[in-house]
Amino acid sequence: MNKKSIVLQTTLELITKQGIRATSLSQIIKESGVANGTVYHHFKNKEEIITELYLMLTQDFGTVVMRNVPEDDIKKQFSIMWLNLFHYFVNNPLAFIFSEQIARSPEIPQSLKDKARQYYGDIENYFKTGIRQKVFKSYNTLVMEELFFGNVVSLVKIHENEKVKLLDKHINQAIEISWKGFLRD
């Protein structure tokens, strides 16, 4: 892992443990083991590190959701998108915590959130296609994306925090419930 990646990973770990405000640049430098000069070569300040981390993780989410999605079966696409995000969060708990704690935080300026939307274009197009094909209700696609994301997050929380052992049948039930919420009557 290169020095820049080490700084980003250390920042991710610190923020998910103690929050954005409690994480200082000096702590990032100390915990990463990367020299001051090297950190400042890559980043001007803590905000720049957080911006890069936020955009990097947002791009990951957008890419992962659309991985191996078939071309022509909209319901199968939905299931695969859902499972992709669920497994990504389960296998990357720091990314999950970051998305929950930080990505919706007022610490992330709206301009950065707007810039990050570019990584969700394929997801937005999926929902637009479903509306055009009259499979989905004609809702605002941003609302649809957030509800899709929220359904996955809810099941990840059950997986992570509850004593319930999620079986494949539970995951499939969650996907089916989520799917039915978007369907036209």
Side-chain angles (χ1 to χ4, degrees):
M1 189 179 306
N2 66 36
K3 305 277 189 198
K4 184 175 182 180
S5 297
I6 291 169
V7 171
L8 290 168
Q9 182 64 32
T10 301
T11 304
L12 177 61
E13 291 168 6
L14 290 170
I15 288 174
T16 55
K17 274 192 243 173
Q18 61 195 33
I20 196 168
R21 287 189 180 160
T23 302
S24 67
L25 183 56
S26 61
Q27 185 182 23
I28 293 167
I29 292 168
K30 180 182 176 194
E31 295 288 326
S32 70
V34 175
N36 279 3
T38 304
V39 172
Y40 284 109
H41 171 74
H42 293 290
F43 306 101
K44 292 179 189 168
N45 51 39
K46 180 179 99 171
E47 290 72 27
E48 202 171 276
I49 298 171
I50 292 167
T51 295
E52 184 152 342
L53 185 60
Y54 179 79
L55 290 173
M56 181 184 75
L57 289 173
T58 304
Q59 184 176 18
D60 280 355
F61 301 154
T63 301
V64 165
V65 168
M66 299 309 291
R67 187 171 289 142
N68 300 318
V69 173
E71 299 260 337
D72 56 353
D73 183 339
I74 197 159
K75 184 172 185 185
K76 183 76 171 164
Q77 290 171 336
F78 187 89
S79 295
I80 290 172
M81 290 165 60
W82 211 100
L83 286 169
N84 284 346
L85 188 58
F86 176 79
H87 290 296
Y88 176 79
F89 280 149
V90 166
N91 294 319
N92 297 282
L94 292 180
F96 177 68
I97 294 167
F98 183 87
S99 74
E100 284 298 284
Q101 276 184 352
I102 307 306
R104 300 186 190 326
S105 165
E107 301 283 340
I108 304 296
Q110 188 60 47
S111 59
L112 181 55
K113 292 176 184 178
D114 292 343
K115 183 176 180 181
R117 291 276 321 137
Q118 68 181 311
Y119 301 120
Y120 296 147
D122 289 341
I123 301 166
E124 180 181 10
N125 288 335
Y126 166 79
F127 285 109
K128 284 181 177 179
T129 299
I131 292 168
R132 236 184 354 269
Q133 292 177 358
K134 299 192 184 312
V135 174
F136 295 144
K137 296 173 186 168
S138 185
Y139 292 148
N140 177 289
T141 54
L142 179 59
V143 171
M144 295 173 84
E145 291 170 46
E146 287 297 323
L147 290 173
F148 171 86
F149 185 85
N151 287 327
V152 174
V153 164
S154 293
L155 207 65
V156 172
K157 287 179 180 179
I158 290 170
H159 171 78
E160 295 294 321
N161 299 323
E162 301 295 326
K163 303 219 187 282
V164 175
K165 171 81 170 118
L166 282 179
L167 304 174
D168 286 344
K169 74 176 187 174
H170 301 127
I171 296 168
N172 290 331
Q173 288 168 351
I175 293 169
E176 188 66 22
I177 291 166
S178 185
W179 166 255
K180 286 181 178 179
F182 294 107
L183 294 179
R184 289 175 62 101
D185 298 324

